[in-house]
Amino acid sequence: LAQTRSAGERREIDLDALGVDGRRLDRTARALTGAAALALPHARRSSPEQTGLFVAGTRMPEESARRCTESIRLRGIGATSASAFARMSVNAPAGACAKALGLLGPTSTFSIGRGTGLFALALAAEWLAWRDDAAAMIAGGVDDKLGRPDEAEGAACFLLERGATAGAIVLAGWGFAGPGAQRDAAERAMHGRAKVDALFVDAGAGPCEEWLAEGSRFGALEGDRVWGESEATRSCVLAAIAAARIAAGEIDSAMIVASGATSVAVVLERGRA
């Protein structure tokens, strides 16, 4: 996980140390590839050839867009940098990441505005639940900083595999609903489960707090308290915080909720023996 915030410094991931050739990657693709490369070694049974990649991306890669624009200014439209132009699309970082890591499973890029990272995570879980053309999925998001002081940039990725072992973190439920319908998404994600120990929200918690266990010492954590404005990554960062608290034994379950063009909810739990 790499980040830039107005009050912090960006920490670049050393791709060479991870065995990845990053020479042809722009800054956005390097961030995504670094986060995915950090997640990939945790696969228990799945090879890269059996692993897919679902990416949340809502911003054009800023470095490639700038290079393309500069090449037009200096040399004219007929001499536009072909490499920069090819990397300007929102889905270019996903393709570059998959190629760099040798991921041959299903790959796609999604954009619903705020909450896109959680949307990609839930869709990856659904893919593994209902299809057999991948044994594992890397799901996450990447954001570029475009200039506003409240923005964050970086990448965050999860590795999902079928099956659970004792003590593992389980993506136990997920739900989708329309814009502004966080409660409906949360109800589908809970699906009769007991109330959760913590709630993480990328938008106003609202009625979702009814699924928070009474007396929870964590309560509801709003995304803007821990991460800057970033449509693709902030909900992923919230899910990562929830997973870290479960792994540390501080809580046994958590729900993460986000709402953009689609409302999304995901429930994480500690795996049982």
Side-chain angles (χ1 to χ4, degrees):
L1 177 66
Q3 67 156 323
T4 294
R5 298 187 66 184
S6 57
E9 296 180 358
R10 181 186 178 92
R11 180 176 65 87
E12 293 284 357
I13 292 176
D14 185 352
L15 292 179
D16 289 335
L18 297 174
V20 178
D21 183 358
R23 287 176 295 177
R24 294 175 180 254
L25 305 179
D26 65 13
R27 188 173 67 167
T28 305
R30 285 197 302 271
L32 176 63
T33 302
L38 290 173
L40 194 57
H42 295 281
R44 301 190 313 276
R45 300 179 300 273
S46 306
S47 67
E49 292 78 11
Q50 298 174 303
T51 303
L53 177 66
F54 277 10
V55 176
T58 65
R59 304 173 183 174
M60 183 185 299
E62 187 274 337
E63 179 183 327
S64 290
R66 176 172 45 79
R67 287 182 177 178
C68 184
T69 302
E70 184 68 6
S71 72
I72 294 173
R73 187 184 69 81
L74 293 175
R75 297 188 294 273
I77 192 72
T80 302
S81 169
S83 60
F85 180 78
R87 292 194 293 260
M88 282 177 60
S89 66
V90 175
N91 63 341
C97 175
K99 182 177 180 180
L101 299 180
L103 305 179
L104 300 180
T107 302
S108 193
T109 300
F110 305 95
S111 181
I112 63 167
R114 176 175 285 186
T116 304
L118 196 66
F119 184 74
L121 181 61
L123 283 179
E126 182 139 325
W127 191 282
L128 289 175
W130 295 105
R131 298 177 63 103
D132 60 4
D133 51 356
M137 296 289 287
I138 291 177
V142 60
D143 279 303
D144 263 349
K145 190 176 178 70
L146 301 181
R148 297 203 311 265
D150 60 340
E151 286 179 319
E153 78 173 351
C157 287
F158 282 81
L159 174 76
L160 281 69
E161 284 190 296
R162 290 192 188 91
T165 58
I169 299 171
V170 177
L171 203 161
W174 59 90
F176 306 99
Q182 298 98 309
R183 186 187 185 283
D184 292 340
E187 185 172 12
R188 290 165 185 163
M190 291 296 290
H191 197 57
R193 289 180 174 82
K195 293 186 176 183
V196 296
D197 298 327
L199 180 64
F200 298 80
V201 292
D202 196 30
C208 295
E209 290 183 336
E210 67 183 85
W211 282 285
L212 188 61
E214 186 176 351
S216 168
R217 66 190 181 94
F218 287 103
L221 178 62
E222 297 263 355
D224 57 6
R225 292 175 56 190
V226 297
W227 197 256
E229 184 62 37
S230 54
E231 294 175 328
T233 55
R234 188 162 72 181
S235 56
C236 279
V237 171
L238 290 175
I241 294 171
R245 287 185 174 177
I246 294 173
E250 298 176 358
I251 55 176
D252 289 326
S253 62
M255 180 163 62
I256 307 95
V257 184
S259 184
T262 299
S263 296
V264 190
V266 164
V267 175
L268 301 179
E269 295 178 347
R270 184 184 306 280
R272 308 301 181 191

